[in-house]
Amino acid sequence: MNRILLASAFLLVSISAAFADEIPSALSAPAVVSPVPAAISPVPAAISPAPKTPAPKLVEPHLHIARSNIAGHARVALTFDACMGQADERILSTLVRERIPATIFVTARWLKRNPAAVAVFLQNPDLFELENHGQNHIPAVDTPTLIYGIASAGSPHAVRQEVEGGAAAMLAAGIPAPHWFRGSTAKYDLSAIGEIRAMGYRIAGYSVNGDGGSLLGAVITEKRIASAKDGDVVISHINQPTHAAGAGVAKALVDLKAKGTEFVRLEDVEDTGDDKTTE
């Protein structure tokens, strides 16, 4: 009997040891993962980026006036933008003192801040032609974009509002109805040009950039304006009295006059603008 019990115990220990030897290998073996059917867990399809709206094609139209074709007697049209800020008395006083005609493009915002300068313009109708630079100095482009960091009008309705708002402010200030328009940055898309022309406006480009947005120094501004030739239209600014460019503008005007230059306003002469801005 004892022999039977000892044999049974020995057999049980042997089986347990054998089973124990298999446990670590079973735990350490890598788990076998059954593949998940694609219908249950589909792989996400690649998401296509939203198509980008193409940037509008912008133009910066040129404008020339009829030449005098007289040697030593160049004909030049001076145009000044009054965007925002204050009137530059260095330029305004030179124009009045030297009796130099000019076309001034005013915004509604500038008109509100400069009643004294507006009074000077209105007291000298033989010198100054006042035209429309818009309501809020927003680029007249009818699709959304940025121009020099400035958001465009962005729609045909907004372009119309910019133009009509500027004209309404001029009439409210006692200024005759404008016939010319120049938008902020002087850049447009072709469709906006068509819209503005349909409103009855000629669009004022230029052929000489006098002061680089009033950001140039006095010396280079003077040289640029002094380089104007027969038939040129000069663009400069009359709203930055703290910028050095204004001093260069004033000096160049005196120098050009001394050379025998004939200064005219846009309303005084025939003109030719590209991109269908004056046709």
Side-chain angles (χ1 to χ4, degrees):
M1 183 64 177
N2 290 335
R3 289 181 179 179
I4 294 174
L5 290 174
L6 289 172
S8 298
F10 178 79
L11 179 61
L12 180 60
V13 170
S14 299
I15 293 173
S16 298
F19 183 73
D21 288 341
E22 292 297 321
I23 291 176
S25 62
L27 292 176
S28 61
V32 178
V33 180
S34 299
V36 179
I40 297 176
S41 179
V43 176
I47 300 175
S48 300
K52 292 183 179 180
T53 303
K57 179 183 178 181
L58 302 181
V59 295
E60 191 166 358
H62 293 93
L63 179 67
H64 288 86
I65 57 172
R67 299 176 180 178
S68 73
N69 291 319
I70 301 173
H73 189 76
R75 179 183 293 152
V76 173
L78 299 173
T79 68
F80 292 93
D81 288 357
C83 313
M84 293 168 281
Q86 301 295 327
D88 191 333
E89 290 294 337
R90 297 169 298 181
I91 300 172
L92 181 54
S93 62
T94 299
L95 293 171
V96 173
R97 182 183 67 251
E98 300 293 333
R99 309 308 293 170
I100 295 176
T103 303
I104 316 294
F105 287 86
V106 297
T107 67
R109 297 172 68 174
W110 189 88
L111 289 174
K112 290 179 181 178
R113 298 189 61 179
N114 295 275
V118 174
V120 173
F121 291 147
L122 295 178
Q123 290 164 6
N124 292 274
D126 58 322
L127 293 182
F128 300 114
E129 171 191 358
L130 300 179
E131 297 292 351
N132 189 355
H133 196 33
Q135 181 176 19
N136 291 309
H137 201 246
I138 296 173
V141 174
D142 60 15
T143 55
T145 191
L146 289 176
I147 306 173
Y148 304 134
I150 305 174
S152 66
S155 71
H157 173 76
V159 169
R160 176 173 288 274
Q161 178 59 45
E162 175 71 1
V163 177
E164 291 182 343
M170 294 178 69
L171 293 175
I175 300 170
H179 302 288
W180 286 86
F181 177 80
R182 175 182 285 156
S184 167
T185 74
K187 291 181 182 289
Y188 314 83
D189 54 351
L190 296 179
S191 54
I193 287 176
E195 293 154 14
I196 297 166
R197 293 287 291 124
M199 296 171 67
Y201 286 90
R202 301 169 80 78
I203 297 175
Y206 61 90
S207 58
V208 175
N209 186 338
D211 62 2
S214 192
L215 298 176
L216 298 177
V219 173
I220 190 170
T221 296
E222 178 188 350
K223 288 181 178 179
R224 283 194 177 195
I225 297 176
S227 71
K229 297 178 176 58
D230 195 15
D232 272 335
V233 176
V234 179
I235 182 176
S236 298
H237 292 75
I238 196 169
N239 66 302
Q240 295 289 356
T242 63
H243 290 193
V249 172
K251 189 173 188 309
L253 299 183
V254 175
D255 292 346
L256 281 175
K257 182 181 178 182
K259 290 169 55 177
T261 301
E262 174 192 0
F263 297 105
V264 296
R265 302 170 299 184
L266 293 182
E267 66 181 356
D268 296 331
V269 290
E270 294 182 356
D271 51 73
T272 304
D274 54 17
D275 298 307
K276 298 183 178 180
T277 50
T278 62
E279 291 179 2

